[in-house]
Short mmCIF file of all heavy atoms in Angstrom, two decimals:
data_model
loop_
_atom_site.label_atom_id
_atom_site.label_comp_id
_atom_site.label_asym_id
_atom_site.label_seq_id
_atom_site.Cartn_x
_atom_site.Cartn_y
_atom_site.Cartn_z
N SER A 1 0.82 -1.20 -0.02
CA SER A 1 0.01 -0.02 0.00
C SER A 1 0.87 1.27 -0.02
O SER A 1 0.62 2.25 -0.82
CB SER A 1 -0.94 0.00 1.21
OG SER A 1 -1.75 1.14 1.29
N ARG A 2 1.89 1.28 0.85
CA ARG A 2 2.78 2.44 0.98
C ARG A 2 3.57 2.65 -0.38
O ARG A 2 3.60 3.72 -0.89
CB ARG A 2 3.71 2.24 2.10
CG ARG A 2 4.78 3.36 2.21
CD ARG A 2 5.72 3.11 3.48
NE ARG A 2 6.34 1.82 3.34
CZ ARG A 2 7.42 1.56 2.60
NH1 ARG A 2 7.93 2.52 1.79
NH2 ARG A 2 7.96 0.39 2.62
N LEU A 3 4.10 1.59 -0.93
CA LEU A 3 4.85 1.71 -2.15
C LEU A 3 3.99 2.12 -3.35
O LEU A 3 4.43 2.87 -4.21
CB LEU A 3 5.54 0.36 -2.49
CG LEU A 3 6.73 -0.03 -1.51
CD1 LEU A 3 7.10 -1.48 -1.79
CD2 LEU A 3 7.89 0.92 -1.63
N TRP A 4 2.72 1.69 -3.31
CA TRP A 4 1.87 2.09 -4.44
C TRP A 4 1.52 3.63 -4.35
O TRP A 4 1.47 4.23 -5.27
CB TRP A 4 0.54 1.22 -4.40
CG TRP A 4 -0.40 1.51 -5.42
CD1 TRP A 4 -1.60 2.25 -5.32
CD2 TRP A 4 -0.33 1.17 -6.82
NE1 TRP A 4 -2.21 2.37 -6.56
CE2 TRP A 4 -1.48 1.68 -7.48
CE3 TRP A 4 0.65 0.45 -7.57
CZ2 TRP A 4 -1.70 1.47 -8.83
CZ3 TRP A 4 0.40 0.30 -8.96
CH2 TRP A 4 -0.71 0.80 -9.52
N ASN A 5 1.32 4.02 -3.09
CA ASN A 5 1.07 5.46 -2.91
C ASN A 5 2.24 6.30 -3.37
O ASN A 5 2.10 7.41 -3.72
CB ASN A 5 0.69 5.78 -1.42
CG ASN A 5 -0.71 5.44 -1.09
OD1 ASN A 5 -1.53 5.09 -1.97
ND2 ASN A 5 -1.16 5.54 0.10
N GLU A 6 3.40 5.76 -3.20
CA GLU A 6 4.66 6.46 -3.57
C GLU A 6 4.98 6.32 -5.09
O GLU A 6 5.89 6.94 -5.60
CB GLU A 6 5.81 5.96 -2.76
CG GLU A 6 5.70 6.31 -1.24
CD GLU A 6 6.81 5.55 -0.41
OE1 GLU A 6 7.63 4.82 -0.97
OE2 GLU A 6 6.84 5.73 0.78
N GLY A 7 4.18 5.45 -5.75
CA GLY A 7 4.41 5.28 -7.21
C GLY A 7 5.62 4.41 -7.47
O GLY A 7 6.13 4.52 -8.62
N ASP A 8 6.07 3.58 -6.57
CA ASP A 8 7.30 2.77 -6.76
C ASP A 8 6.92 1.36 -7.24
O ASP A 8 7.06 0.39 -6.43
CB ASP A 8 8.11 2.77 -5.46
CG ASP A 8 9.55 2.37 -5.75
OD1 ASP A 8 9.82 1.81 -6.83
OD2 ASP A 8 10.37 2.53 -4.79
N LEU A 9 6.50 1.20 -8.40
CA LEU A 9 6.06 -0.16 -8.94
C LEU A 9 7.29 -1.07 -9.01
O LEU A 9 7.18 -2.27 -8.70
CB LEU A 9 5.45 0.02 -10.30
CG LEU A 9 4.94 -1.34 -10.92
CD1 LEU A 9 3.97 -2.02 -10.03
CD2 LEU A 9 4.40 -1.06 -12.32
N PRO A 10 8.49 -0.66 -9.35
CA PRO A 10 9.71 -1.56 -9.38
C PRO A 10 9.90 -2.20 -8.03
O PRO A 10 10.29 -3.38 -7.93
CB PRO A 10 10.85 -0.70 -9.82
CG PRO A 10 10.19 0.37 -10.71
CD PRO A 10 8.89 0.64 -10.01
N ALA A 11 9.79 -1.43 -6.96
CA ALA A 11 9.95 -1.93 -5.60
C ALA A 11 8.87 -2.94 -5.28
O ALA A 11 9.20 -3.88 -4.60
CB ALA A 11 10.00 -0.72 -4.55
N ILE A 12 7.64 -2.72 -5.65
CA ILE A 12 6.63 -3.66 -5.50
C ILE A 12 6.90 -4.98 -6.12
O ILE A 12 6.73 -6.06 -5.52
CB ILE A 12 5.27 -3.12 -5.96
CG1 ILE A 12 4.78 -1.95 -5.10
CG2 ILE A 12 4.15 -4.20 -5.92
CD1 ILE A 12 3.49 -1.29 -5.59
N LYS A 13 7.39 -4.90 -7.35
CA LYS A 13 7.79 -6.11 -8.13
C LYS A 13 8.87 -6.87 -7.43
O LYS A 13 8.82 -8.10 -7.25
CB LYS A 13 8.24 -5.67 -9.53
CG LYS A 13 8.65 -6.81 -10.40
CD LYS A 13 9.07 -6.32 -11.84
CE LYS A 13 9.45 -7.52 -12.76
NZ LYS A 13 9.85 -7.02 -14.07
N ARG A 14 9.90 -6.19 -7.05
CA ARG A 14 11.03 -6.79 -6.29
C ARG A 14 10.55 -7.52 -5.02
O ARG A 14 10.95 -8.64 -4.73
CB ARG A 14 12.17 -5.84 -5.98
CG ARG A 14 12.97 -5.29 -7.17
CD ARG A 14 14.22 -4.65 -6.77
NE ARG A 14 13.92 -3.46 -5.92
CZ ARG A 14 13.70 -2.32 -6.43
NH1 ARG A 14 13.70 -2.04 -7.71
NH2 ARG A 14 13.42 -1.22 -5.58
N LEU A 15 9.74 -6.82 -4.26
CA LEU A 15 9.26 -7.35 -2.98
C LEU A 15 8.39 -8.60 -3.27
O LEU A 15 8.45 -9.58 -2.58
CB LEU A 15 8.49 -6.30 -2.22
CG LEU A 15 7.90 -6.71 -0.93
CD1 LEU A 15 9.01 -7.18 0.02
CD2 LEU A 15 7.10 -5.51 -0.29
N ALA A 16 7.47 -8.47 -4.28
CA ALA A 16 6.60 -9.56 -4.60
C ALA A 16 7.38 -10.87 -5.02
O ALA A 16 7.12 -11.96 -4.61
CB ALA A 16 5.59 -9.22 -5.66
N LYS A 17 8.34 -10.67 -5.93
CA LYS A 17 9.09 -11.82 -6.42
C LYS A 17 9.95 -12.43 -5.36
O LYS A 17 9.99 -13.67 -5.22
CB LYS A 17 9.94 -11.35 -7.63
CG LYS A 17 9.14 -11.12 -8.89
CD LYS A 17 10.03 -10.75 -10.07
CE LYS A 17 9.32 -10.69 -11.38
NZ LYS A 17 8.80 -12.04 -11.84
N SER A 18 10.65 -11.68 -4.60
CA SER A 18 11.64 -12.25 -3.56
C SER A 18 10.74 -12.95 -2.47
O SER A 18 11.23 -14.02 -2.05
CB SER A 18 12.42 -11.08 -2.97
OG SER A 18 11.59 -10.16 -2.35
N SER A 19 9.62 -12.43 -2.13
CA SER A 19 8.82 -13.03 -1.05
C SER A 19 8.27 -14.36 -1.57
O SER A 19 8.14 -15.31 -0.88
CB SER A 19 7.77 -12.08 -0.56
OG SER A 19 6.85 -11.67 -1.60
N THR A 20 7.80 -14.35 -2.80
CA THR A 20 7.20 -15.58 -3.40
C THR A 20 8.21 -16.69 -3.49
O THR A 20 7.81 -17.84 -3.17
CB THR A 20 6.57 -15.29 -4.76
OG1 THR A 20 5.61 -14.25 -4.65
CG2 THR A 20 5.87 -16.55 -5.32
N ARG A 21 9.38 -16.38 -3.96
CA ARG A 21 10.43 -17.45 -4.07
C ARG A 21 10.73 -18.00 -2.72
O ARG A 21 10.85 -19.26 -2.51
CB ARG A 21 11.68 -16.87 -4.74
CG ARG A 21 11.63 -16.67 -6.23
CD ARG A 21 12.97 -16.42 -6.83
NE ARG A 21 13.48 -15.13 -6.39
CZ ARG A 21 13.40 -14.03 -7.06
NH1 ARG A 21 12.70 -14.01 -8.25
NH2 ARG A 21 13.88 -12.88 -6.68
N ALA A 22 10.82 -17.14 -1.69
CA ALA A 22 11.14 -17.63 -0.36
C ALA A 22 10.03 -18.46 0.22
O ALA A 22 10.28 -19.51 0.85
CB ALA A 22 11.41 -16.46 0.55
N MET A 23 8.78 -18.11 -0.09
CA MET A 23 7.70 -18.86 0.43
C MET A 23 7.63 -20.19 -0.19
O MET A 23 7.30 -21.24 0.53
CB MET A 23 6.33 -18.10 0.15
CG MET A 23 6.11 -16.85 1.00
SD MET A 23 4.47 -16.12 0.83
CE MET A 23 4.55 -15.58 -0.89
N LEU A 24 7.84 -20.31 -1.46
CA LEU A 24 7.80 -21.58 -2.18
C LEU A 24 8.81 -22.57 -1.69
O LEU A 24 8.61 -23.75 -1.47
CB LEU A 24 7.89 -21.41 -3.70
CG LEU A 24 7.66 -22.63 -4.57
CD1 LEU A 24 6.25 -23.18 -4.31
CD2 LEU A 24 7.80 -22.24 -6.01
N LEU A 25 10.03 -22.04 -1.42
CA LEU A 25 11.16 -22.86 -0.93
C LEU A 25 10.81 -23.44 0.47
O LEU A 25 11.09 -24.57 0.75
CB LEU A 25 12.43 -22.07 -0.91
CG LEU A 25 13.14 -21.78 -2.17
CD1 LEU A 25 14.29 -20.89 -2.02
CD2 LEU A 25 13.57 -23.12 -2.85
N LEU A 26 10.15 -22.61 1.27
CA LEU A 26 9.82 -23.11 2.60
C LEU A 26 8.58 -24.01 2.59
O LEU A 26 8.53 -24.96 3.41
CB LEU A 26 9.45 -21.87 3.45
CG LEU A 26 10.55 -20.93 3.88
CD1 LEU A 26 10.07 -19.65 4.54
CD2 LEU A 26 11.57 -21.62 4.74
N ALA A 27 7.67 -23.89 1.68
CA ALA A 27 6.46 -24.65 1.61
C ALA A 27 6.71 -26.06 0.99
O ALA A 27 6.02 -27.02 1.42
CB ALA A 27 5.36 -23.96 0.79
N LEU A 28 7.60 -26.20 0.07
CA LEU A 28 7.81 -27.44 -0.67
C LEU A 28 8.10 -28.60 0.25
O LEU A 28 7.42 -29.73 0.13
CB LEU A 28 8.86 -27.32 -1.79
CG LEU A 28 8.36 -26.77 -3.15
CD1 LEU A 28 9.54 -26.59 -4.04
CD2 LEU A 28 7.41 -27.80 -3.71
N PRO A 29 9.02 -28.52 1.19
CA PRO A 29 9.29 -29.65 2.10
C PRO A 29 8.04 -30.06 2.92
O PRO A 29 7.82 -31.31 3.13
CB PRO A 29 10.38 -29.14 3.01
CG PRO A 29 10.99 -28.06 2.24
CD PRO A 29 9.91 -27.39 1.47
N ILE A 30 7.20 -29.10 3.27
CA ILE A 30 5.97 -29.45 4.04
C ILE A 30 5.06 -30.21 3.13
O ILE A 30 4.46 -31.24 3.63
CB ILE A 30 5.32 -28.13 4.54
CG1 ILE A 30 6.29 -27.31 5.42
CG2 ILE A 30 4.12 -28.46 5.39
CD1 ILE A 30 5.73 -25.97 5.79
N VAL A 31 4.84 -29.83 1.95
CA VAL A 31 3.95 -30.54 1.00
C VAL A 31 4.42 -31.98 0.79
O VAL A 31 3.66 -32.91 0.80
CB VAL A 31 3.89 -29.77 -0.33
CG1 VAL A 31 3.03 -30.56 -1.34
CG2 VAL A 31 3.27 -28.36 -0.12
N ILE A 32 5.72 -32.16 0.51
CA ILE A 32 6.28 -33.45 0.32
C ILE A 32 6.03 -34.37 1.47
O ILE A 32 5.69 -35.50 1.34
CB ILE A 32 7.79 -33.37 0.00
CG1 ILE A 32 7.96 -32.64 -1.33
CG2 ILE A 32 8.44 -34.70 -0.02
CD1 ILE A 32 9.43 -32.28 -1.65
N ALA A 33 6.25 -33.77 2.72
CA ALA A 33 6.03 -34.59 3.94
C ALA A 33 4.56 -34.99 4.03
O ALA A 33 4.25 -36.15 4.45
CB ALA A 33 6.48 -33.78 5.17
N MET A 34 3.67 -34.08 3.78
CA MET A 34 2.22 -34.36 3.90
C MET A 34 1.74 -35.48 2.89
O MET A 34 0.90 -36.29 3.18
CB MET A 34 1.38 -33.11 3.69
CG MET A 34 1.47 -32.22 4.90
SD MET A 34 0.34 -30.75 4.73
CE MET A 34 0.69 -29.88 6.26
N VAL A 35 2.40 -35.37 1.68
CA VAL A 35 2.03 -36.43 0.66
C VAL A 35 2.55 -37.77 1.07
O VAL A 35 1.88 -38.80 0.88
CB VAL A 35 2.52 -35.95 -0.74
CG1 VAL A 35 2.36 -37.10 -1.76
CG2 VAL A 35 1.76 -34.76 -1.18
N LEU A 36 3.84 -37.84 1.48
CA LEU A 36 4.45 -39.17 1.76
C LEU A 36 3.98 -39.76 3.05
O LEU A 36 3.94 -40.97 3.15
CB LEU A 36 5.97 -38.95 1.87
CG LEU A 36 6.68 -38.59 0.51
CD1 LEU A 36 8.14 -38.35 0.71
CD2 LEU A 36 6.41 -39.61 -0.60
N PHE A 37 3.68 -38.92 4.05
CA PHE A 37 3.27 -39.46 5.39
C PHE A 37 1.81 -38.97 5.82
O PHE A 37 1.61 -38.77 6.95
CB PHE A 37 4.29 -38.92 6.41
CG PHE A 37 5.70 -39.32 6.07
CD1 PHE A 37 6.59 -38.32 5.59
CD2 PHE A 37 6.14 -40.66 6.21
CE1 PHE A 37 7.92 -38.62 5.23
CE2 PHE A 37 7.46 -40.92 5.84
CZ PHE A 37 8.36 -39.94 5.40
N SER A 38 0.97 -38.92 4.79
CA SER A 38 -0.38 -38.43 5.10
C SER A 38 -1.14 -39.37 6.12
O SER A 38 -1.79 -38.73 7.03
CB SER A 38 -1.20 -38.42 3.77
OG SER A 38 -1.27 -39.70 3.17
N GLY A 39 -0.98 -40.66 6.07
CA GLY A 39 -1.70 -41.53 7.00
C GLY A 39 -1.14 -41.35 8.42
O GLY A 39 -1.93 -41.24 9.36
N VAL A 40 0.17 -41.26 8.58
CA VAL A 40 0.83 -41.00 9.85
C VAL A 40 0.34 -39.71 10.47
O VAL A 40 0.03 -39.65 11.62
CB VAL A 40 2.36 -41.08 9.78
CG1 VAL A 40 2.95 -40.77 11.11
CG2 VAL A 40 2.81 -42.48 9.22
N ILE A 41 0.37 -38.68 9.69
CA ILE A 41 -0.05 -37.35 10.15
C ILE A 41 -1.49 -37.31 10.66
O ILE A 41 -1.76 -36.76 11.66
CB ILE A 41 0.17 -36.28 9.04
CG1 ILE A 41 1.66 -36.14 8.78
CG2 ILE A 41 -0.39 -34.92 9.49
CD1 ILE A 41 2.03 -35.32 7.52
N MET A 42 -2.40 -37.89 9.81
CA MET A 42 -3.79 -37.90 10.18
C MET A 42 -4.11 -38.78 11.41
O MET A 42 -5.01 -38.48 12.19
CB MET A 42 -4.66 -38.44 9.07
CG MET A 42 -4.74 -37.49 7.82
SD MET A 42 -5.51 -35.90 8.25
CE MET A 42 -7.24 -36.39 8.56
N ARG A 43 -3.26 -39.75 11.67
CA ARG A 43 -3.49 -40.63 12.86
C ARG A 43 -3.23 -39.83 14.14
O ARG A 43 -3.64 -40.22 15.22
CB ARG A 43 -2.53 -41.78 12.76
CG ARG A 43 -3.03 -42.97 13.67
CD ARG A 43 -2.12 -44.23 13.41
NE ARG A 43 -2.24 -44.72 12.04
CZ ARG A 43 -1.22 -44.84 11.25
NH1 ARG A 43 -0.01 -44.64 11.63
NH2 ARG A 43 -1.50 -45.28 10.02
N PHE A 44 -2.56 -38.71 14.01
CA PHE A 44 -2.24 -37.85 15.17
C PHE A 44 -3.56 -37.34 15.77
O PHE A 44 -3.67 -37.06 16.99
CB PHE A 44 -1.42 -36.64 14.73
CG PHE A 44 -1.23 -35.58 15.76
CD1 PHE A 44 -0.48 -35.82 16.83
CD2 PHE A 44 -1.82 -34.34 15.57
CE1 PHE A 44 -0.29 -34.73 17.83
CE2 PHE A 44 -1.63 -33.33 16.50
CZ PHE A 44 -0.89 -33.59 17.58
N PHE A 45 -4.63 -37.28 14.98
CA PHE A 45 -5.91 -36.73 15.45
C PHE A 45 -6.75 -37.78 16.18
O PHE A 45 -7.86 -37.51 16.75
CB PHE A 45 -6.72 -36.15 14.35
CG PHE A 45 -6.04 -34.89 13.70
CD1 PHE A 45 -5.18 -35.04 12.60
CD2 PHE A 45 -6.17 -33.66 14.28
CE1 PHE A 45 -4.59 -33.91 12.03
CE2 PHE A 45 -5.52 -32.60 13.73
CZ PHE A 45 -4.80 -32.71 12.68
#
């Protein structure tokens, strides 16, 4: 919101791309674990 009000679209682009790459790297191991060990995980409940 702040960057858009300042008219800094390049900064928005950099922030969006860097944050998305970081999120995907962190999320992938969690997804793999849930797919491979879904039964074990659900038994926790």
Side-chain angles (χ1 to χ4, degrees):
S1 178
R2 176 179 56 79
L3 292 170
W4 181 255
N5 280 356
E6 295 171 358
D8 197 347
L9 184 58
I12 293 176
K13 180 179 178 180
R14 289 194 300 271
L15 180 58
K17 285 182 173 289
S18 61
S19 61
T20 302
R21 285 194 291 265
M23 289 188 293
L24 189 56
L25 286 174
L26 291 171
L28 272 174
I30 304 175
V31 176
I32 293 171
M34 287 186 181
V35 171
L36 294 179
F37 305 104
S38 56
V40 175
I41 294 171
M42 289 298 292
R43 201 174 297 125
F44 171 70
F45 296 96

